[in-house]
Amino acid sequence: KGLALRRHPGLALGFLNPNTMRILLIHPEDELQGGPWAYQPWDRVIDLGTAGAADCAQAGNAFGCPVTNLRNLRGEFREMRRVRELIGLGLDRLNDEFGLDWWELISILVHQELEVAFLMSELAASIGANDEVHVSRPCFQTDILRLSLGSRLLTFNSRNALPKRGARHYWQVFGKFPASQLLEIFWDKTDPGYQFRGRFSRKPKDQRNSVVLLPSAYVNVSRTALAYASVLPDSHFLLVVTRPSGWIQSLPANVSAAWLRQYSSVECRAREREFRDLVSRWNRLRAELQAVPEFNVLAKMGKLDDFPRHFAHGLEVRDAWRNVLDFEPVQAVICADDTNPYTRIPLLLAANIGLPTIACHHGALDGRYMFKRSSADIVLAKGRMEEDYLVRVCSLPAEKVEVGAPGVSARTEPAMEKKSVILFFSEPYEVAGGRPRSFYRDILPPLAEIARSEERELVIKLHPFESVSERSRLVEEVLGPERAQRTRIVGGPLRSELLNQSWFAVTVLSSVATDCALKGIPCFLFAWLEPPSYGYVDQFTRFQVGIRLGSPAEIQSIPAMLNSYRPHREIRENCWVPMEASRLRVLLGLEQEFLESRKAAISR
């Protein structure tokens, strides 16, 4: 601080008061040192996003104080427990005639805002009465803070610090998404209840056989559902997708597929009356919820205003799923994403009419079970790691969780003389407030150096939500043109050939760590960049599925660590215990049908 004052002797004489602190909050879209705040002295700097360790250290040296972020305010799942309490306040108040609790369905959409409201209240409590607080630009977090601090919260009035909303801004935003995803976003915004698209959709073909319903909105959800269908090749399944990203072109012989929009009910008067009643009850519930500080904050921020719109579209989607259950011979439901309201609805409808229901997760772990109710008969875990997480961390009843992975587990490939690939699984870090450029600065230079010295190839495997062109520009910016040319960027599905060629893999946090573990590929996790809240890295390392790295400096030690690496002997049971076909039939209520069909086949 003394150095900063010597650099800026004309700044804030009040700063000499030992009881006064100058605090800076930096928006995730702003560079830590990319604005006018970089030339002023600060006592406390808080990154509202997540930056890499190198950028944080560099900025801390310039500011004369450490750069922290909101994870420093978190306890061990303390904010998740609070979110569960808050969501629980409105349960069973907005039930419809089919047993659906619309508060339960829609409140999941604001769980992140509730978490932020709780954390910002913790931050406000840590700010002294005389402290001077500045923000790089307005945002949801700082708007919450302004409710507590009022005019004491100051915003930098700079072109670089204000939100950019011109044509160039939107071009940059759109450039980060593939065209197919932009089209999905358009339909999600303009026709979420299929009232337009339903008019032009052909009705699906009648199903000749009883089916197990597989609802899906995303490709990974569809793949997981189809993997369970492969366990029972003699049974019939119906995949119904809500969005194009959930569609699968090549289906197994025992699976048929349809669009949810093909079942839509257009212009239903009864639904309009139901909507008005639901909104009336919602207004009474909202008045009660606003007595709670976190909900009061969300109400003032306008985050509760969209609930009636969600109810309207949700009822349209519900009626489409009702038509699926009415028109198709559905015997049971397997839902591989019961957080998404659109794919949770058929699970609830089926459970309320007594059909067998199974919930599972398309990824390695689902931390949202910490605050959402499980309405399925059984929650399937793929292995001991997921089972332990659901019971120990998320507090699901042990009798409701059963181990049974879809399909067969990946087989460990025989060792090659020299595996040629260093595989980095990238993610759309922006979604959780991460800074991709800053992350890449931590990760890519040491990986590129290992690739050069060990004569291997660095391959960056992108998430489906990442743009190849945008990430390519970022890689060249971080590595320079020469090293970027020697780095391969791969989009599309993960292919087994790429895994088989991998010497080791690295990721901030991804379900692919389990794929690597099952193939005997060491996977290193960048724990310092992990999005907080869910404790995934701790769970991966607890069951030896991933190897924790605590700082960028440890990346250089990976080759030495590999010399002593030995896969854990229980890794397969930790990650993946295949579902027995006979047990899955029992859970889906198909056992008697199977026995009768077998008897008929034998008699023939």
Side-chain angles (χ1 to χ4, degrees):
K1 181 165 64 178
L3 176 61
L5 281 173
R6 288 195 295 273
R7 288 177 179 171
H8 310 281
L11 287 175
L13 292 178
F15 192 11
L16 297 176
N17 183 345
N19 296 320
T20 300
M21 296 182 66
R22 297 188 79 240
I23 302 172
L24 171 66
L25 282 69
I26 304 178
H27 189 275
E29 294 182 21
D30 291 324
E31 295 289 339
L32 296 182
Q33 296 177 266
W37 49 87
Y39 306 102
Q40 299 188 21
W42 304 99
D43 294 293
R44 186 180 180 188
V45 177
I46 301 169
D47 181 9
L48 294 177
T50 304
D55 282 357
C56 284
Q58 183 179 2
N61 289 334
F63 291 136
C65 65
V67 176
T68 62
N69 60 35
L70 293 180
R71 77 167 63 204
N72 298 92
L73 299 173
R74 301 175 187 268
E76 188 177 10
F77 308 126
R78 186 163 51 100
E79 64 278 8
M80 291 296 99
R81 287 192 290 269
R82 179 56 177 165
V83 169
R84 184 171 191 146
E85 293 173 3
L86 293 170
I87 290 179
L89 296 176
L91 292 175
D92 299 320
R93 298 285 301 277
L94 300 179
N95 291 27
D96 66 14
E97 61 178 302
F98 301 100
L100 270 63
D101 183 345
W102 285 96
W103 167 255
E104 177 189 10
L105 283 164
I106 305 303
S107 62
I108 201 77
L109 300 178
V110 296
H111 77 83
Q112 291 179 325
E113 285 83 355
L114 287 170
E115 181 185 347
V116 170
F118 173 75
L119 291 174
M120 295 311 292
S121 68
E122 298 283 289
L123 176 60
S126 72
I127 295 174
N130 298 320
D131 292 346
E132 182 182 321
V133 185
H134 294 253
V135 298
S136 65
R137 73 166 83 181
C139 62
F140 177 63
Q141 294 97 318
T142 58
D143 287 345
I144 294 176
L145 198 59
R146 191 178 300 279
L147 295 176
S148 299
L149 302 183
S151 59
R152 293 169 54 204
L153 186 67
L154 307 174
T155 303
F156 279 91
N157 187 19
S158 165
R159 282 177 54 187
N160 293 330
L162 293 175
K164 303 174 184 177
R165 291 293 180 264
R168 183 178 179 183
H169 164 75
Y170 288 109
W171 179 259
Q172 291 173 342
V173 171
F174 292 156
K176 296 180 179 180
F177 297 95
S180 59
Q181 192 178 351
L182 290 175
L183 183 61
E184 288 194 4
I185 293 172
F186 170 78
W187 285 121
D188 288 346
K189 295 291 185 182
T190 59
D191 188 35
Y194 313 108
Q195 296 303 285
F196 177 76
R197 286 172 289 173
R199 298 173 188 269
F200 305 99
S201 298
R202 292 182 299 176
K203 296 305 177 184
K205 296 180 181 179
D206 293 337
Q207 297 291 325
R208 296 182 179 179
N209 302 290
S210 298
V211 295
V212 176
L213 177 62
L214 309 173
S216 176
Y218 300 99
V219 65
N220 287 342
V221 177
S222 298
R223 288 171 181 160
T224 300
L226 295 183
Y228 277 109
S230 70
V231 178
L232 301 177
D234 296 326
S235 299
H236 299 277
F237 295 79
L238 174 62
L239 175 69
V240 178
V241 299
T242 65
R243 314 170 75 236
S245 61
W247 189 259
I248 299 289
Q249 291 292 341
S250 180
L251 293 171
N254 65 329
V255 180
S256 55
W259 299 95
L260 183 59
R261 63 174 181 258
Q262 294 176 277
Y263 299 89
S264 62
S265 296
V266 181
E267 296 179 355
C268 176
R269 292 186 178 179
R271 189 166 61 222
E272 294 176 6
R273 292 192 297 271
E274 188 177 9
F275 169 70
R276 289 194 294 269
D277 173 67
L278 192 60
V279 170
S280 176
R281 287 187 284 151
W282 157 245
N283 288 333
R284 293 193 294 271
L285 175 60
R286 174 174 175 163
E288 296 177 23
L289 292 175
Q290 286 180 206
V292 179
E294 289 89 345
F295 283 119
N296 187 42
V297 165
L298 262 60
K300 291 180 178 178
M301 296 292 100
K303 295 297 181 179
L304 302 182
D305 296 346
D306 280 345
F307 270 59
R309 181 175 62 86
H310 290 311
F311 295 151
H313 297 319
L315 291 172
E316 294 166 353
V317 172
R318 179 207 63 186
D319 286 348
W321 283 118
R322 282 181 54 217
N323 290 335
V324 173
L325 294 172
D326 287 343
F327 298 155
E328 306 293 0
V330 176
Q331 284 185 287
V333 175
I334 298 178
C335 181
D337 184 4
D338 67 341
T339 299
N340 185 326
Y342 282 13
T343 49
R344 183 177 178 84
I345 286 174
L347 180 78
L348 298 175
L349 289 173
N352 289 333
I353 61 175
L355 293 180
T357 53
I358 292 176
C360 56
H361 187 56
H362 55 281
L365 303 170
D366 184 6
R368 289 163 295 192
Y369 273 111
M370 280 190 262
F371 51 79
K372 69 179 180 182
R373 289 197 294 193
S374 174
S375 301
D377 298 326
I378 287 291
V379 179
L380 290 180
K382 290 172 283 298
R384 294 174 183 170
M385 177 181 72
E386 187 176 7
E387 178 189 32
D388 174 80
Y389 186 81
L390 290 171
V391 175
R392 181 180 58 85
V393 178
C394 299
S395 301
L396 262 66
E399 63 273 13
K400 199 166 187 176
V401 180
E402 187 166 327
V403 175
V408 297
S409 61
R411 296 180 179 178
T412 303
E413 298 293 327
M416 300 170 59
E417 289 185 3
K418 182 175 181 179
K419 294 193 174 185
S420 60
V421 167
I422 296 173
L423 188 55
F424 167 38
F425 291 100
S426 185
E427 294 282 322
Y429 306 113
E430 302 93 330
V431 174
R435 304 174 185 274
R437 181 179 290 101
S438 186
F439 283 22
Y440 277 21
R441 284 173 181 164
D442 274 5
I443 297 167
L444 292 185
L447 286 180
E449 177 56 29
I450 294 174
R452 184 201 63 78
S453 62
E454 299 288 340
E455 297 182 346
R456 319 271 176 153
E457 181 187 23
L458 175 57
V459 175
I460 301 175
K461 171 65 181 70
L462 299 184
H463 186 276
F465 290 172
E466 292 182 285
S467 164
V468 173
S469 59
E470 193 271 338
R471 289 305 198 235
S472 297
R473 289 192 296 270
L474 200 57
V475 170
E476 183 170 350
E477 179 183 332
V478 172
L479 290 181
E482 183 178 348
R483 286 195 296 178
Q485 285 184 349
R486 297 198 300 266
T487 301
R488 180 156 54 106
I489 298 177
V490 177
L494 175 62
R495 302 191 180 279
S496 58
E497 307 89 74
L498 185 59
L499 278 177
N500 294 340
Q501 296 169 358
S502 297
W503 181 30
F504 67 86
V506 293
T507 183
V508 173
L509 181 65
S510 175
S511 297
V512 295
T514 59
D515 298 315
C516 293
L518 287 168
K519 284 194 170 276
I521 302 169
C523 187
F524 296 86
L525 308 173
F526 302 133
W528 73 95
L529 298 173
E530 178 191 10
S533 299
Y534 298 122
Y536 290 156
V537 168
D538 286 343
Q539 189 71 4
F540 279 131
T541 54
R542 181 186 183 95
F543 283 83
Q544 295 83 38
V545 174
I547 304 167
R548 184 190 195 95
L549 297 179
S551 71
E554 295 182 20
I555 297 176
Q556 300 173 352
S557 304
I558 288 178
M561 297 171 68
L562 291 175
N563 292 331
S564 58
Y565 173 77
R566 297 293 182 274
H568 195 273
R569 59 185 178 85
E570 296 180 351
I571 193 66
R572 189 169 300 279
E573 291 76 16
N574 289 344
C575 294
W576 198 280
V577 178
M579 190 83 198
E580 293 289 341
S582 58
R583 180 57 181 162
L584 185 56
R585 287 193 198 97
V586 170
L587 293 177
L588 293 174
L590 305 177
E591 184 66 18
Q592 187 61 36
E593 176 186 297
F594 173 74
L595 292 176
E596 291 175 358
S597 66
R598 292 295 294 168
K599 288 179 181 178
I602 292 172
S603 64
R604 288 196 299 269

